[in-house]
Amino acid sequence: MSADAATTMKLGHVDVLVVGAGISGIGMACHLKRRQPDRTFAIVDSRDSIGGTWDLFRYPGIRSDSDLHTFGFEFKPWTRDNAIANGDEILDYLHETVAENDLARHLDLGHKVVRADFSSAEARWTVTLERASDGEQFDVTCGVLFSGAGYYDYARGHTPHFEGREDFRGQIVHPQLWPEDLDYTGKKVVIIGSGATAVTLLPALAEKAGHVTMLQRSPGYIVPIPRKDPIANSLRRLLPSPVAYRITRRININRMKLLYNLSQRYPKQIRRLIRKLNAMVLPKGYEVDTHFNPHYGPWDQRLCVVPDADMFKAISSGDASVVTDRIVRFTEGGILLASGEELAADIIVTATGFHILPFGGIALEVDGKPVDLPSRMVYKSMMVSGVPNFAFAMGYLNYSWTLKVDLVAEYLCRLLAHMDRHGYAAVTPHADDPTLTRRPFLEMESGWVGRSKDLYPQQGSHGPWTVDQSYAPDRVRLSKAPIEDSALRFTTGPGRLAVTGRMTTPTMIDVQGRPTRVRVEGDPASPPVLLLHGIGRSLEDWSPQYARLADTHRVIALDLPGSGFSARVPEPTTLEVLARGVLETLDTLGEGRPLHVIGNSLGGAVAMQLLALDPGRVASLVLVDSAGFGAKVALPLRLLALPVFGELMSRRTTRGGARMAERLIFADRTLATGARIEHAMDIAGQPDTSTVVLETTRALATVRGIKPEWRAQLTAAVAKHPRPTLVIWGDRDRIVPAVDLESAHRVFPHAETQLLTGVGHMPQLESPDDFAARVLAFLADAEPIPASKGRRGSAREEELDGQH
């Protein structure tokens, strides 16, 4: 990268590079933020603004052709009155999404992806970008490449050859390149085409033009629907917006499913119904069978919708008309038809479709060898056989586009979490089933589909290689089905155990034969900080703190044994077992210096156990809503000691069971950052968690409270090995109540205590800036302890203890 490029590009290496800042790319980025909050990503787009299709197309009347309660994102309710929305409303919605999810800092606009080469040896993509302003090319790298570029060729639309085009004395316009200064007031306009663009243009142009004619070679299905959804708007007035949105979304998904299924099962009856609807909104005696009676069955091509019957109203008023005929040639004054009629025109609009450009035209290579897309197959509609760490989103043809985008994004986040858990660096689909037969990627009679069949990978006859155009089966295989699949090959990457560097995404390491997940950030020479999470949780609980602490400290976090993605220690879990597992992990990482140990909830108790077990490894303690102080245990913690709750926890591998357990453990979850809590909940629901939670709880407490023998051991260790200590509590903690803060002084008489107002059990998530500021201020004053040359009970350790 040149110096000039470096000053204008924020992008270096990222975990995920998202190509396209339209609805697919923005949707993918939001899912990454919500489900993979610690993964780095960037969004690149060749255009200088976001929006994709909705920013590119500027023709009059541009609008959605499906309702925004299903075309909108699942995580952001559509709250406007129009269900069939205008282009500017959709663009506003996308800008709101970018702002609400803080995506602006991830955007690198004006940069086109030219080529991308995956290195199997390095397990990463090298991506060549071209800057739009000067054409300069440079390389960046990423772990995963995602195409949200759709299928349009943004540079040009599709216009077939028309004989005599050069003879026409008027203006010829393609909707994709609509001139901003085009004046069609009082003009005769002919629109060639009968698809969604044509039926959108007709009523919009008819408002100002002298007359508008839609010239079609053959009719299509056109269905009038209300622009405003009365059910959705009523629900929004009665219920909270997110609830109303979810209900409306489900109703409309089922409505689309019903219409599609009925069209496939009863095509004649649905054809008659649509014809009746057309006749009802057209003038009496209108030639419905000539202009609105397709030769194909309903949904063999996509149905076009017209809001509030606007197209039919324009025809009824005489401002517009439909002509069904074939073009012989363009003439000086219009278009000569096969019937002999000549249509007069001042402006001809060629709404004849678009050119297809798979994956934004990126030239894909694997280890320097070009990928021949038509020879490959698609896996679960979103990956390509033989191409590692690559995914794409192509929306539905018969449902709303974004329904598929949400499912693909959710699956990719699940896949990344699975790779984190097992320490994989690359995943590649392999279509080696000898019984597979090939079919076109898209199966529909539309012209643009036919033009694309030799450009895309193909789908297979069965299994994960089919391309479903139905939401229900896709939801099962993308949202719920296990990630493990014989068609996927996972590999580890180089230097995965190079622990002297940074592991800015969670990484699996081997700790005495036990897979353990860690995350390491910051300069290796900086003072080390160890982060310990709570019961049944994971290192995701510290997500906002990594960047805040890593500027001045070496930050180390891990999933405790038996939690998150770390395997349990074979013996029954106790605080000493957990603390010993932490020490073994530090030894594996080569971190022998005394650490500032920060523990939340159970992590605080483990931090104190570390002090008792090996005081020479502890420089200071920050105990956050810590277990181990109070004479009594809060209700949710008491529940953990009950065998019946152990049974509940054993069901946490299902999302429903996970949500139930989450509500019981974290009664104040509404205070915490929703995205991070949701992500941590998913990760915490591992099979070993139930046993470890039950064993840990019984080791720490009885139903009556903290075990006296553990408190006595802790008090003795603190008296013998005092360390600088900060105790932080949220005054709204309903798990380990804030009254326990008073008990902290009995164990740590020298401790500094701070009560955070309006905060619950997880201050590091709920108030990340304030929390980090308090911790960093404390660490700056905490006296560092030199590294111990020995281990437990060494002479050097006793010397250090004597100094304190």
Side-chain angles (χ1 to χ4, degrees):
M1 182 185 299
S2 70
D4 183 49
T7 60
T8 57
M9 277 291 292
K10 295 170 285 189
L11 185 60
H13 176 83
V14 291
D15 298 325
V16 183
L17 183 63
V18 177
V19 182
I23 199 163
S24 300
I26 291 172
M28 181 72 245
C30 289
H31 278 274
L32 287 171
K33 290 273 288 192
R34 296 163 61 83
R35 299 173 182 272
Q36 294 280 300
D38 300 314
R39 201 171 294 275
T40 61
F41 68 91
I43 312 167
V44 296
D45 197 295
S46 60
R47 297 173 58 79
D48 290 325
S49 53
I50 72 160
T53 297
W54 303 104
D55 179 70
L56 170 71
F57 289 99
R58 303 294 180 89
Y59 60 80
I62 180 172
R63 54 167 172 77
S64 64
D65 61 351
S66 56
D67 72 281
L68 262 292
H69 300 98
T70 56
F71 190 75
F73 299 118
E74 66 172 356
F75 53 83
K76 178 174 170 56
W78 176 257
T79 58
R80 293 165 173 81
D81 287 341
N82 287 337
I84 303 299
N86 297 324
D88 58 346
E89 292 181 289
I90 299 172
L91 200 55
D92 287 345
Y93 175 83
L94 293 178
H95 279 281
E96 289 173 6
T97 305
V98 168
E100 290 167 5
N101 291 274
D102 191 25
L103 296 184
R105 61 192 179 92
H106 298 277
L107 287 168
D108 285 292
L109 302 176
H111 291 91
K112 178 183 179 181
V113 179
V114 178
R115 68 184 66 87
D117 184 12
F118 184 83
S119 168
S120 299
E122 298 178 352
R124 69 178 186 177
W125 289 94
T126 296
V127 181
T128 301
L129 300 178
E130 180 177 286
R131 193 165 52 234
S133 60
D134 58 13
E136 182 177 356
Q137 295 187 357
F138 50 89
D139 293 341
V140 297
T141 58
C142 64
V144 174
L145 184 63
F146 175 82
S147 172
Y151 47 67
Y152 290 128
D153 181 346
Y154 276 41
R156 60 196 180 111
H158 172 72
T159 302
H161 173 71
F162 292 112
E163 189 70 30
R165 179 187 177 106
E166 65 281 358
D167 296 333
F168 180 60
R169 292 185 297 185
Q171 189 168 0
I172 301 175
V173 177
H174 192 283
Q176 189 167 321
L177 302 173
W178 194 270
E180 292 185 8
D181 59 351
L182 181 63
D183 183 10
Y184 53 89
T185 304
K187 303 287 183 67
K188 295 186 289 291
V189 181
V190 174
I191 305 170
I192 301 175
S194 60
T197 302
V199 302
T200 299
L201 275 166
L202 184 144
L205 295 177
E207 292 179 3
K208 293 169 56 179
H211 189 82
V212 180
T213 302
M214 188 177 85
L215 172 59
Q216 58 183 14
R217 183 173 54 187
S218 59
Y221 288 101
I222 302 175
V223 182
I225 64 172
R227 181 180 291 273
K228 297 180 180 181
D229 186 332
I231 295 177
N233 292 341
S234 297
L235 287 173
R236 201 171 69 249
R237 286 191 292 269
L238 296 172
L239 300 171
S241 179
V243 177
Y245 183 65
R246 285 196 297 270
I247 295 173
T248 304
R249 188 177 174 89
R250 177 52 54 190
I251 290 173
N252 290 358
I253 288 172
N254 289 334
R255 183 187 295 160
M256 286 187 289
K257 177 181 177 181
L258 178 64
L259 176 60
Y260 180 76
N261 289 342
L262 289 175
S263 298
Q264 297 298 300
R265 187 169 182 178
Y266 305 108
K268 292 182 180 179
Q269 291 87 337
I270 297 299
R271 176 193 288 269
R272 285 198 295 268
L273 175 61
I274 295 174
R275 184 195 181 283
K276 183 177 181 180
L277 291 173
N278 293 163
M280 289 172 59
V281 290
L282 285 166
K284 186 176 181 180
Y286 189 87
E287 296 179 343
V288 177
D289 291 329
T290 300
H291 303 303
F292 294 99
N293 185 26
H295 66 273
Y296 54 87
W299 275 118
D300 289 346
Q301 296 185 28
R302 187 178 177 92
L303 271 68
C304 292
V305 300
V306 291
D308 295 338
D310 58 2
M311 174 183 173
F312 299 106
K313 290 177 181 177
I315 295 171
S316 299
S317 69
D319 295 328
S321 57
V322 175
V323 172
T324 304
D325 207 333
R326 292 185 174 272
I327 297 173
V328 175
R329 60 175 290 117
F330 284 13
T331 65
E332 289 186 0
I335 301 174
L336 179 63
L337 304 176
S339 62
E341 179 185 359
E342 182 173 351
L343 286 179
D346 301 306
I347 300 172
I348 296 176
V349 180
T350 55
T352 47
F354 40 83
H355 279 289
I356 302 302
L357 193 65
F359 312 143
I362 304 171
L364 295 174
E365 299 179 359
V366 176
D367 295 325
K369 297 180 180 179
V371 175
D372 179 39
L373 289 177
S375 68
R376 305 301 176 98
M377 299 185 74
V378 288
Y379 175 81
K380 292 192 174 181
S381 304
M382 46 86 68
M383 299 175 74
V384 178
S385 64
V387 183
N389 289 18
F390 175 75
F392 65 94
M394 280 280 287
Y396 290 115
L397 300 181
N398 52 359
Y399 284 80
S400 289
W401 175 277
T402 321
L403 290 174
K404 185 64 163 278
V405 173
D406 278 332
L407 292 178
V408 167
E410 181 179 353
Y411 177 86
L412 183 56
C413 289
R414 291 177 59 221
L415 178 62
L416 292 174
H418 178 86
M419 293 170 70
D420 281 349
R421 179 184 180 187
H422 296 281
Y424 298 134
V427 57
T428 310
H430 284 268
D432 48 13
D433 181 351
T435 66
L436 280 173
T437 57
R438 294 172 174 263
R439 292 155 40 196
F441 174 64
L442 298 174
E443 295 179 305
M444 191 172 267
E445 295 183 8
S446 300
W448 72 269
V449 173
R451 293 193 296 273
S452 70
K453 64 180 181 181
D454 296 329
L455 301 176
Y456 277 94
Q458 299 208 323
Q459 65 168 306
S461 53
H462 57 272
W465 305 101
T466 59
V467 177
D468 277 308
Q469 292 296 330
S470 182
Y471 179 75
D474 264 349
R475 189 165 180 265
V476 171
R477 72 175 179 177
L478 293 175
S479 292
K480 299 181 179 180
I483 294 295
E484 287 288 351
D485 189 329
S486 60
L488 292 180
R489 306 288 191 273
F490 294 95
T491 56
T492 57
R496 191 168 58 90
L497 299 180
V499 296
T500 56
R502 301 185 184 189
M503 305 172 190
T504 56
T505 55
T507 304
M508 299 298 293
I509 64 173
D510 183 274
V511 177
Q512 300 190 8
R514 187 176 70 250
T516 299
R517 193 173 71 135
V518 299
R519 176 169 175 168
V520 182
E521 291 203 31
D523 189 336
S526 297
V529 170
L530 175 65
L531 305 177
L532 301 175
H533 62 77
I535 194 166
R537 307 297 298 174
S538 72
L539 57 78
E540 267 73 20
D541 281 359
W542 301 100
S543 295
Q545 299 304 321
Y546 295 116
R548 290 170 169 84
L549 300 179
D551 282 345
T552 53
H553 291 79
R554 177 72 159 175
V555 181
I556 301 169
L558 71 152
D559 287 348
L560 291 171
S563 294
F565 293 140
S566 291
R568 61 170 297 156
V569 176
E571 59 192 285
T573 305
T574 64
L575 286 174
E576 183 173 341
V577 166
L578 293 176
R580 190 168 66 245
V582 171
L583 292 172
E584 290 167 353
T585 302
L586 293 172
D587 290 341
T588 302
L589 292 171
E591 185 56 80
R593 297 174 292 171
L595 302 99
H596 301 289
V597 185
I598 306 176
N600 173 230
S601 193
L602 172 68
V606 175
M608 292 184 267
Q609 185 69 48
L610 284 175
L611 180 65
L613 192 63
D614 191 355
R617 303 292 286 274
V618 179
S620 71
L621 292 170
V622 179
L623 307 175
V624 186
D625 294 70
S626 175
F629 289 138
K632 294 184 178 181
V633 183
L635 178 62
L637 193 55
R638 288 203 301 271
L639 285 173
L640 287 171
L642 301 176
V644 67
F645 194 76
E647 175 63 23
L648 172 63
M649 292 296 292
S650 70
R651 300 172 187 164
R652 292 186 70 203
T653 52
T654 67
R655 178 167 291 270
R659 291 191 186 280
M660 291 173 64
E662 184 72 10
R663 284 195 291 271
L664 285 172
I665 299 175
F666 291 94
D668 56 357
R669 63 170 295 183
T670 55
L671 295 175
T673 304
R676 300 192 187 284
I677 290 292
E678 178 79 10
H679 183 55
M681 184 197 74
D682 289 340
I683 288 183
Q686 301 305 316
D688 281 342
T689 300
S690 59
T691 307
V692 169
V693 166
L694 198 58
E695 291 175 356
T696 305
T697 305
R698 286 172 171 170
L700 174 64
T702 66
V703 174
R704 290 180 179 151
I706 300 298
K707 287 187 173 180
E709 61 268 29
W710 190 85
R711 287 173 56 83
Q713 178 191 27
L714 171 63
T715 304
V718 171
K720 185 177 181 181
H721 312 291
R723 296 290 185 266
T725 302
L726 170 64
V727 183
I728 297 178
W729 226 281
D731 69 343
R732 296 182 63 179
D733 190 343
R734 293 179 294 189
I735 309 304
V736 185
V739 295
D740 284 7
L741 186 60
E742 301 173 5
S743 305
H745 279 298
R746 292 196 290 270
V747 181
F748 293 92
H750 62 288
E752 175 186 352
T753 59
Q754 298 184 17
L755 185 67
L756 279 63
T757 59
V759 176
H761 189 61
M762 306 180 78
Q764 73 274 23
L765 286 176
E766 299 168 45
S767 185
D769 289 328
D770 185 30
F771 177 84
R774 292 169 186 262
V775 169
L776 289 172
F778 167 77
L779 295 181
D781 293 335
E783 181 181 353
I785 298 178
S788 172
K789 295 180 181 178
R791 280 290 182 263
R792 301 167 184 81
S794 67
R796 175 59 175 158
E797 177 185 303
E798 297 299 327
E799 177 186 344
L800 293 172
D801 292 333
Q803 295 174 0
H804 286 76

